[in-house]
Amino acid sequence: MELKCGAVILAGGRGSRFGGVNKAELSYLGKSFCGRIREEFDRLGMDCFFSAGAYPPPEEPGLKVIPDLPVEGEEGPIGPMGGILSCFEQTRCDLLFFVSCDMPLFHRRMAARLLELWTPGTDALVWRTRSGSLVVDFMDGEARRGGLEL
């Protein structure tokens, strides 16, 4: 049985560290952050979803928008975790790749590598930096110089 893989661009936050702007619509080299990330997943042939939270989704033809579902006891979107929950509940994918909307340098090789490493029964795979941190800043180091190591 072939697994159905999908990709989710997470935009459930309020952009508070960016002064309240909709990060998915920021541009890098003439393309929106969201558009750049989506192109990478399109090249892998994956369905791409947009997890919409506090801001309206970008104007991207064919992009499947998944609004954050309300969580019992909460008012309105609750951020990225609410988006992740909504996507698991609303897609028909066996595997989902989640990428924050503020990662315009995301490259499809990253998703392809994770897919190679995934084995049945594994619940999650995450990137870890060389120093061991789970928080990865792809605007740093090798990625900026164009030599991203996987």
Side-chain angles (χ1 to χ4, degrees), residues 60-87:
E60 289 273 335
L63 184 63
K64 299 169 184 109
V65 177
I66 298 179
D68 287 6
L69 295 174
V71 175
E72 189 174 330
E74 298 290 332
E75 278 190 43
I78 61 167
M81 291 308 293
I84 290 170
L85 174 64
S86 297
C87 290

Side-chain angles (χ1 to χ4, degrees), residues 84-85 91 97 119 141 149:
I84 290 170
L85 174 64
T91 67
F97 288 94
T119 57
E149 283 185 37

Side-chain angles (χ1 to χ4, degrees), residues 14 26 33 48 51 68 72 80 87 97 100 107 134:
R14 293 179 180 85
L26 293 175
F33 284 17
C48 193
S51 172
D68 287 6
E72 189 174 330
C87 290
F97 288 94
S100 173
H107 195 279
L134 293 178

Side-chain angles (χ1 to χ4, degrees), residues 85-150:
L85 174 64
S86 297
C87 290
F88 276 122
E89 291 179 350
Q90 296 181 57
T91 67
R92 299 187 188 278
C93 295
D94 301 303
L95 295 172
L96 288 172
F97 288 94
F98 290 91
V99 176
S100 173
C101 69
D102 60 2
M103 292 183 58
L105 297 182
F106 171 80
H107 195 279
R108 65 187 170 276
R109 289 183 299 170
M110 297 163 68
R113 181 69 176 134
L114 285 175
L115 192 54
E116 288 173 13
L117 295 172
W118 181 83
T119 57
T122 301
D123 292 328
L125 290 174
V126 295
W127 289 102
R128 187 180 293 271
T129 64
R130 288 183 182 102
S131 65
S133 173
L134 293 178
V135 179
V136 180
D137 180 3
F138 287 104
M139 296 291 284
D140 191 46
E142 292 295 318
R144 192 175 327 149
R145 293 189 295 275
L148 181 65
E149 283 185 37
L150 300 177

Side-chain angles (χ1 to χ4, degrees), residues 20-33:
V21 300
N22 184 350
K23 295 182 287 186
E25 293 183 346
L26 293 175
S27 66
Y28 178 74
L29 298 178
K31 292 185 182 174
S32 72
F33 284 17

